[in-house]
Amino acid sequence: MSGRARLTLFAMVATLLTSWSLVALVDSAGWLLQAALLLAVQSGVGAAARRVPLARPLMVAGQALVSLLVLAFLFAGKGESTGTGPVAYLVTDFGALFRRGVQDVGEFAIPAPLTDGIRLLLLSGVLLVGLLVDLLAVTVRTAAAAGLPLLALYSVAAGLSGGAGASWVSFLLAGSGYLLLLLAEGRDRLAQWGRVFGGAPAGRVSAASGYGGGGAGPGQAVSPVRTGRRIGAVALGIALVVPAGLPALGGGLLGATGDSAGGGSGTGGTISAVNPLVSLQGSLNAQDNRVVLKYRTDSPQLGEQYLRILALDEFNGVKWEASGRTLTDVPEQLPRPPGLSDQVRKDAVEVRTSISAADTYAQRYLPMPYPATGIDIAGKWRFEPAGRTLVGDQLGKDRFQNVQGAMYTVRSLLLQPTAVELQAAPEANPGIRAEYTKLPGNLPAVVGDTARQVTKGAKDDYTRAVKLQDYFAVNGGFRYDTKVASGTGPEAIARFLADKEGFCIHFAFSMAAMSRSLGIPARVAVGFTPGEKQSDGSVNVSMRDAHAWPELYFEGVGWTRFEPTPRQGITVPDYSRPRTPAAQPSVPAPLPTPSAAQPSTAPSNADACPPELKKLGECGGAAPHQNAGSGGAGPSLGSVLAWTAGALAVLGLPLLPLLWRTRVRNRRLAAGSVLPAWRELGDAAWDAGIPPDEALSPRRAAGRMVVLGWLDPEAAQAVHRVAGAVERALYAPPGAEVAYEAVAADVLLARAALLAGLGRGARLRALLLPRSAVRLQWAAAARWSSLTARTAALATRTRARVPVRPRG
C-alpha cells in the first residue's frame, strides 16, 4: 500500500472513531455503519482524484459533490415533496429534511430518536469533518492540523451530551484514531528518506532513539514507528488515568459525569423535570417510585384533586407545546377563570390544599389544583394568566426559582358542572375558539375522519366529547402500555389510531387533536393524578402519578377535564358519566396485556423516553423562561450555542491568516502614505509567489514584479507609479513631495492583476495561506529577542550592584 493510500485509510478511520462520541446523542447506533460506507465512498473519490491528478480545489469540490449526491440518493423520498425533478428535490425536499433535522435537534432530549432529519445531520456532519481531515492530512500533508476538525467533532458531542458522549471509551477511540493518523504520516515521511538500516552497536545507541538497545538485539534496528506507538499508548494511558486520580479534573471532557437518575448531582440526585412529560415514560416505569409531593386538603372529592403544572395549547403537527405568553407578578387574588359563569361559580366548593415538595424534586412550574384562586408561597414566582400557571423567576445567571423543598398553600375551586349545563353550553367565545381549534395543515385526514365517525349522531359538543372519551377508554379497543413508542412527525396520531396502544400522552394528544377537528376548543394539561392517601390523612404523590389529560372548553364552565386514558387509578369526571347505567358505560376498564400488566404499580424495564415525550422539550413561553432551572432533560440553549460557537471557532482557524492580511492591508492603505502602500504591494507580490529582494531599488523591484507577475500594461503602469512615488518620498528634497491620492487604488489594481495571473490552487494559497504571514513570526521572534536582551541586561546590572563578599 502506498503512503498516500495509507494516509487516506487512516484519515477515514480517525474520523470514524471520533464519530463514535456522537452515538450517545441518539437512541440508535445504526447510522454509524452508513457513515462508514459514505466515508469510504468520499475517501475513494479523493484517492482517485489524486491519481488523475486534479487540482486541489477541483478534488475537494468533487468529493463534496459526490457526497451530496449519495446523501440525496440515500434520503430520497424522506422529505416532504413539494416539487418534481432532481433540482426541485435538492433545493426544496432535501433542504426541508435538513431544516426538520435542525428543528428536531432543538426539540428532542438526549438521547434523541434517530429521525430522518437527525440522521441526515449526523451523516452530513461526519462527512464534512471527514472531508476536512482528508484535505489536511492527505492532500496538504499536515496530519497534525487534521486534529482540529476531529477535536471540534468530539467537543461538540461531549458538550451536547453533557458528558454522556465523552466517556473514556469515546476518548480512547478518538485519541487512538488521531495517533494512528499521525503515525501513518510519520511513517510515510520517514519512508521518503529510504530504508532504515541497523548495525549500530547496542551499547552505543540509546534505546529511546528507536535504533538500538532495548532488547532488539545487537545490530538490529528498531522501527521508530514502534517507539511512536509506545509513546502514544503511554500518552493515552496518562490522559485516562490522571483525571481519575485528580478530582479537580472531573469537569473536563473526560470527567463530565451525567446527572444521577433524577437529573441532579450527588447521592440520590434530584428529579429535574421542567416539563415532567419529557421523562414521563421513565417516571411511570421507574424502579425507584420516589415521592415528590405531599399534601393535605379539605376537598370533599379527593379523586378530583389533580395537581396541574402547565397547559400545552399549541399544536403544530409534530408536538404539543405551551405557546409563548407574557408573565406577570403573582396577584394576591388570581383573576377569574375564563368562561366560568356565575351559576357554576356559585355551585363550586372552596378548597384549601397545603403542599410540600421533596428536596429531590426540582421543577420550575408549580404543581397546584385547577382552577386556583390564590397561592401563598415564598420565593420569586411569575404568573401566566392564560394557562393559570406559576413559573419560577430567574435568580441569577443560569439559576431559576423552583419548587424544590418548597411548602405552599393553594386556594382553589372544585367545580361541579352537570351534564345538562355542559350539553346546553353556548358557542365558545370567538377568540378562544379561533385560537384553540387551530390544526396544522399536514395533519392526516384519518384524524378528522375518525373523529367524525366516532361522534356520528351527536347533537352538541358535550356529547361529542363524551363519545371521544369512551372511544379511547372503553369501546375503541385501545390498550394502555407504557413501553410503546408511537413514532414522531405528522403521522404520529394516525399511527397511534392504527396501533391502538400507548399511554396517557398518546390518548391526551389524540383526543385533543380530534376535538379540535370537530371545532371544540382543546388543549393538553400536564401534571399529576391525585396520589395515594396515607393513614394520617396526608396524600403522597410519586413520579408514577405523572399524567397528561385533555382539557376541553365549554362556555359557562371554562376548561374542563376529560379522561380518555384506560388506566387503573384514573378518576373519570362525574359530568362525563352516562346518566343511565345502561347507556354506553364510560368508566375506563384497563385491558391488561403481557407487556403492560397493572402499569401503575408494576414498573417495566424500559428506560428510554418515547419520541413524542422527547419532542415536548421546554415550555414554549417567553425565551428567558424556557431554560431549566436546576437541570433539564437536555442541554440548554446557552450550552448548545456555546459549543456551536466553539466548534465554529476551531473550524475557522484556517481563516486567521486571511483575516490578518485583510486587516493589515486596510490599515496600510487607509493612511494614504506611499511607503506603507509600497510595503503592501511587496507583500501582495510575495503572496503571489514573488519573494521580496531588499537589495533592489524601488524601480528595479517594480520591473521585476511586472516581469515575474506577467502583469498587463495597465497594472504595470500602476506598479511603476507607486515605485516612482516611493523614490520621490525617499530621495526628493524637503518640500518637493507631490500628493499621490490614487496610491491605494493603484496597489489594489496591481494586487488583482497578480492574483489573476495565478492558477486556482495558487490563488487559494495566496488568499488562505499568504507567504507574507511569516512577518508575524519574525515580529514575535524580534520581540522575544528584545525581551531576553533586556532581561539579561537587567540581570547584569543587578549583579553589578550587589557587593561581593571577599572569601575568608
Side-chain angles (χ1 to χ4, degrees):
M1 183 181 293
S2 66
R4 280 193 179 272
R6 186 181 296 107
L7 271 178
T8 302
L9 175 62
F10 280 100
M12 183 185 71
V13 170
T15 304
L16 193 60
L17 292 178
T18 306
S19 302
W20 177 264
S21 58
L22 296 171
V23 170
L25 301 181
V26 292
D27 58 7
S28 174
W31 64 271
L32 201 58
L33 179 59
Q34 293 180 332
L37 296 176
L38 293 177
L39 277 175
V41 172
Q42 180 175 270
S43 301
V45 172
R50 280 185 286 269
R51 291 182 66 88
V52 169
L54 291 178
R56 291 177 180 177
L58 291 178
M59 182 190 64
V60 174
Q63 287 180 282
L65 179 60
V66 170
S67 300
L68 181 61
L69 292 176
V70 173
L71 282 176
F73 176 80
L74 183 63
F75 288 92
K78 303 292 185 180
E80 300 174 2
S81 182
T82 57
T84 58
V87 176
Y89 169 72
L90 290 175
V91 175
T92 59
D93 301 357
F94 197 64
L97 184 60
F98 199 94
R99 289 192 297 272
R100 189 195 302 173
V102 174
Q103 182 181 5
D104 289 345
V105 168
E107 295 173 348
F108 279 115
I110 294 173
L114 189 59
T115 64
D116 291 330
I118 291 181
R119 186 158 57 98
L120 174 60
L121 291 183
L122 289 172
L123 295 178
S124 301
V126 171
L127 286 177
L128 177 60
V129 172
L131 182 61
L132 293 175
V133 172
D134 186 86
L135 171 65
L136 294 173
V138 187
T139 305
V140 186
R141 305 296 290 260
T142 56
L148 292 176
L150 294 175
L151 176 62
L153 179 63
Y154 177 82
S155 301
V156 169
L160 291 178
S161 63
S167 65
W168 67 271
V169 176
S170 300
F171 176 80
L172 183 62
L173 291 176
S176 299
Y178 182 51
L179 288 178
L180 289 174
L181 180 60
L182 292 179
L183 290 173
E185 186 202 41
R187 181 176 180 177
D188 184 52
R189 289 183 182 274
L190 187 63
Q192 295 177 6
W193 290 85
R195 183 179 177 183
V196 178
F197 292 92
R204 300 180 57 184
V205 180
S206 170
S209 67
Y211 291 95
Q220 183 177 356
V222 178
S223 171
V225 176
R226 186 182 305 174
T227 304
R229 294 196 196 103
R230 293 171 181 171
I231 295 174
V234 172
L236 280 177
I238 293 175
L240 289 171
V241 174
V242 170
L246 298 177
L249 299 181
L253 293 180
L254 287 179
T257 56
D259 293 340
S260 54
S265 57
T267 304
T270 58
I271 300 170
S272 178
V274 172
N275 183 340
L277 293 186
V278 173
S279 57
L280 180 57
Q281 187 177 33
S283 301
L284 294 173
N285 293 323
Q287 299 290 341
D288 179 15
N289 188 25
R290 210 174 310 181
V291 174
V292 293
L293 297 169
K294 290 187 177 183
Y295 68 88
R296 291 180 180 271
T297 182
D298 57 4
S299 174
Q301 297 181 5
L302 185 60
E304 297 293 334
Q305 195 70 6
Y306 279 56
L307 297 180
R308 184 174 173 277
I309 294 177
L310 76 162
L312 312 178
D313 54 8
E314 187 174 305
F315 181 43
N316 59 14
V318 176
K319 63 186 177 70
W320 287 82
E321 63 182 359
S323 56
R325 300 183 187 274
T326 304
L327 300 178
T328 64
D329 294 334
V330 182
E332 293 185 7
Q333 184 73 22
L334 299 186
R336 187 170 184 148
L340 184 60
S341 66
D342 293 336
Q343 180 60 41
V344 177
R345 173 66 178 84
K346 180 181 178 182
D347 296 337
V349 178
E350 297 277 354
V351 175
R352 182 182 180 90
T353 306
S354 298
I355 307 173
S356 61
D359 292 333
T360 56
Y361 181 57
Q363 167 65 258
R364 276 190 63 199
Y365 298 90
L366 192 68
M368 56 186 181
Y370 181 88
T373 58
I375 300 101
D376 182 13
I377 186 172
K380 294 183 64 177
W381 296 88
R382 303 279 285 172
F383 178 63
E384 195 274 286
R388 298 183 71 81
T389 59
L390 257 65
V391 186
D393 202 357
Q394 188 166 5
L395 301 177
K397 184 179 180 181
D398 298 327
R399 292 180 57 246
F400 295 86
Q401 179 71 54
N402 62 58
V403 74
Q404 188 174 12
M407 300 180 65
Y408 55 101
T409 301
V410 181
R411 300 182 302 279
S412 60
L413 296 177
L414 176 58
L415 301 180
Q416 298 176 316
T418 65
V420 175
E421 290 173 329
L422 292 169
Q423 195 169 12
E427 187 174 346
N429 178 284
I432 291 180
R433 184 181 180 87
E435 179 177 0
Y436 293 98
T437 57
K438 290 181 180 178
L439 286 172
N442 60 353
L443 189 68
V446 68
V447 177
D449 295 342
T450 304
R452 286 185 290 271
Q453 182 180 355
V454 170
T455 60
K456 185 177 180 180
K459 304 296 185 182
D460 53 81
D461 288 345
Y462 165 75
T463 306
R464 297 185 184 97
V466 173
K467 284 192 173 187
L468 286 177
Q469 174 182 269
D470 291 345
Y471 170 68
F472 288 110
V474 179
N475 52 37
F478 288 86
R479 297 184 301 172
Y480 181 87
D481 190 347
T482 59
K483 297 176 66 176
V484 171
S486 294
T488 62
E491 302 291 332
I493 298 178
R495 284 195 294 268
F496 170 65
L497 294 176
D499 298 340
K500 294 193 173 184
E501 55 183 5
F503 56 106
C504 57
I505 284 293
H506 313 109
F507 291 97
F509 285 5
S510 299
M511 181 172 173
M514 293 171 74
S515 298
R516 286 193 174 191
S517 70
L518 298 175
I520 307 174
R523 64 188 184 186
V524 176
V526 179
F528 297 95
T529 54
E532 183 178 353
K533 191 171 184 178
Q534 306 299 304
S535 58
D536 61 354
S538 65
V539 182
N540 288 351
V541 178
S542 66
M543 285 305 291
R544 288 187 204 164
D545 293 314
H547 190 47
W549 60 93
E551 290 183 341
L552 276 57
Y553 182 86
F554 293 91
E555 196 67 39
V557 180
W559 289 105
T560 309
R561 177 177 67 90
F562 283 81
E563 272 299 354
T565 304
R567 167 184 157 187
Q568 288 183 349
I570 297 292
T571 302
V572 176
D574 290 338
Y575 48 78
S576 67
R577 297 176 185 271
R579 284 171 288 182
T580 59
Q584 200 176 12
S586 60
V587 179
L591 301 176
T593 64
S595 62
Q598 293 182 346
S600 62
T601 58
S604 78
N605 295 325
D607 294 325
C609 188
E612 279 83 0
L613 306 188
K614 294 175 182 178
K615 288 190 75 72
L616 283 174
E618 293 281 354
C619 171
H625 304 280
Q626 290 181 345
N627 297 328
S630 300
S636 64
L637 178 60
S639 300
V640 173
L641 293 178
W643 282 104
T644 303
L648 292 177
V650 170
L651 295 177
L653 286 176
L655 298 179
L656 290 180
L658 172 64
L659 299 177
W660 174 78
R661 280 292 291 124
T662 303
R663 180 175 177 272
V664 170
R665 183 183 309 111
N666 293 337
R667 188 177 68 247
R668 288 172 174 173
L669 299 182
S673 300
V674 174
L675 295 181
W678 174 251
R679 172 166 289 192
E680 172 56 32
L681 182 57
D683 283 353
W686 191 2
D687 296 339
I690 305 174
D693 188 349
E694 302 295 340
L696 298 179
S697 66
R699 187 171 303 177
R700 293 283 304 277
R704 175 172 174 266
M705 191 182 305
V706 169
V707 173
L708 297 181
W710 296 86
L711 299 185
D712 55 65
E714 183 178 2
Q717 293 176 6
V719 171
H720 285 299
R721 284 196 297 268
V722 177
V726 171
E727 289 182 341
R728 290 192 298 271
L730 292 176
Y731 309 118
E737 296 86 2
V738 179
Y740 185 17
E741 297 178 356
V743 61
D746 284 344
V747 170
L748 293 178
L749 174 62
R751 177 177 177 271
L754 288 169
L755 294 177
L758 302 176
R760 290 186 178 180
R763 190 181 307 125
L764 287 176
R765 166 74 163 78
L767 294 174
L768 298 179
L769 296 174
R771 296 175 175 83
S772 61
V774 73
R775 292 190 185 275
L776 283 175
Q777 181 181 349
W778 292 350
R783 292 180 182 179
W784 176 253
S785 299
S786 176
L787 178 62
T788 54
R790 288 198 301 267
T791 303
L794 179 61
T796 302
R797 290 196 301 268
T798 302
R799 287 196 298 267
R801 293 175 183 175
V802 176
V804 180
R805 281 184 164 187
R807 295 183 179 181

